[in-house]
Amino acid sequence: MRQQPPVRPLSLDSLDVSSKPHVQFLVTEHWSLLATRSMTWSEIFSRTGTYLTVLSAAVIALSLVANATGFGPDFRTFALLILPVVLLIGVGTFFRLIEADVEDAWMVLGMNRLRHAYIELAPELETYFVSSHHDDKPGLMRTYAFRDRVGVTHWMSGSPLVVGVVDAVVTGVLAGVICQAVGAAPAVRTLVGVLTAVMTAVVLGMIGYRKVHQVSRDYHPQFPG
């Protein structure tokens, strides 16, 4: 009886890339992340647009009531009813935008890991990738903004910052209306409104920073550069 030759384990490197089922799994996951990221960005634009629409409607309503009542007690009553609702929607939108940005970063890191797998399967393709294949912070920045770091203009143009500033202004206006309702002097109303707006902006900024910093601190990359 002739002895059979030993069976060598199948190596992925010995196969043509197009015949590897692993590539299909990776591509499916990649498209899933792309679709989810697209939905996340659509939600960001939708939530921001909805909040600004509500705010615009509230401003128009306040203007009409002010013209009809001459900024009297009826106007203050109406403002004290509608501004808290607008502020509630705005704060909820701000927190959701922070969460959406964190989710978007996770999906970018996931796609970087998939690119790392592509390069493991076909190392000769590395020079064709514009996005990074490392899942550390520099890799995230490289894929997200095609540079090692983002500047101040990038953060200033972000949806969370815009919504946070609008929330701070709405809070300041609400504080001024409350001061007017209790009979405070104009100078006091102005000072309280400005201080309230500044404090609100600082608090929202700290909350957003702590959320992002916590996620970044607990994350450990698997394929650092």
Side-chain angles (χ1 to χ4, degrees):
M1 182 176 179
R2 188 174 60 180
Q3 184 178 4
Q4 296 292 335
V7 178
R8 298 179 58 184
L10 183 63
S11 174
L12 289 175
D13 295 332
S14 64
L15 298 176
D16 182 72
V17 173
S18 60
S19 65
K20 299 176 184 178
H22 298 73
V23 176
Q24 299 178 6
F25 302 151
L26 295 174
V27 171
T28 301
E29 178 66 12
H30 203 146
W31 279 106
S32 176
L33 291 177
L34 285 174
T36 306
R37 193 183 183 201
S38 177
M39 291 170 54
T40 301
W41 276 98
S42 297
E43 182 184 4
I44 289 175
F45 295 138
S46 177
R47 292 291 293 266
T48 304
T50 300
Y51 172 52
L52 295 180
T53 301
V54 171
L55 178 63
S56 301
V59 172
I60 294 174
L62 289 172
S63 300
L64 295 175
V65 174
N67 291 331
T69 62
F71 293 95
D74 294 336
F75 169 78
R76 291 194 294 269
T77 301
F78 182 75
L80 291 175
L81 289 174
I82 194 172
L83 287 179
V85 177
V86 175
L87 183 59
L88 178 63
I89 297 175
V91 172
T93 301
F94 175 80
F95 289 144
R96 178 56 194 144
L97 293 180
I98 294 295
E99 293 289 342
D101 279 352
V102 172
E103 295 171 4
D104 184 63
W106 274 107
M107 286 181 281
V108 171
L109 291 174
M111 288 187 286
N112 284 6
R113 291 183 180 181
L114 294 176
R115 292 189 192 94
H116 195 279
Y118 298 152
I119 293 176
E120 287 183 347
L121 294 173
E124 66 275 8
L125 297 179
E126 182 176 0
T127 57
Y128 298 97
F129 285 104
V130 177
S131 303
S132 176
H133 58 277
H134 300 291
D135 62 343
D136 52 3
K137 184 176 179 180
L140 172 64
M141 291 292 101
R142 182 66 182 174
T143 300
Y144 192 79
F146 296 101
R147 48 195 166 187
D148 296 333
R149 63 180 63 186
V150 293
V152 178
T153 55
H154 178 87
W155 295 109
M156 291 182 63
S157 60
S159 298
L161 180 62
V162 173
V163 172
V165 171
V166 174
D167 288 343
V169 173
V170 173
T171 307
V173 173
L174 179 59
V177 173
I178 294 175
C179 291
Q180 183 184 18
V182 298
V188 175
R189 297 198 300 263
T190 303
L191 180 61
V192 171
V194 171
L195 291 178
T196 302
V198 172
M199 291 178 59
T200 302
V202 171
V203 170
L204 291 178
M206 290 179 60
I207 293 175
Y209 174 79
R210 288 184 61 183
K211 176 64 178 177
V212 174
H213 179 70
Q214 180 182 1
V215 174
S216 177
R217 180 190 59 192
D218 296 339
Y219 174 73
H220 301 286
Q222 296 186 14
F223 306 104

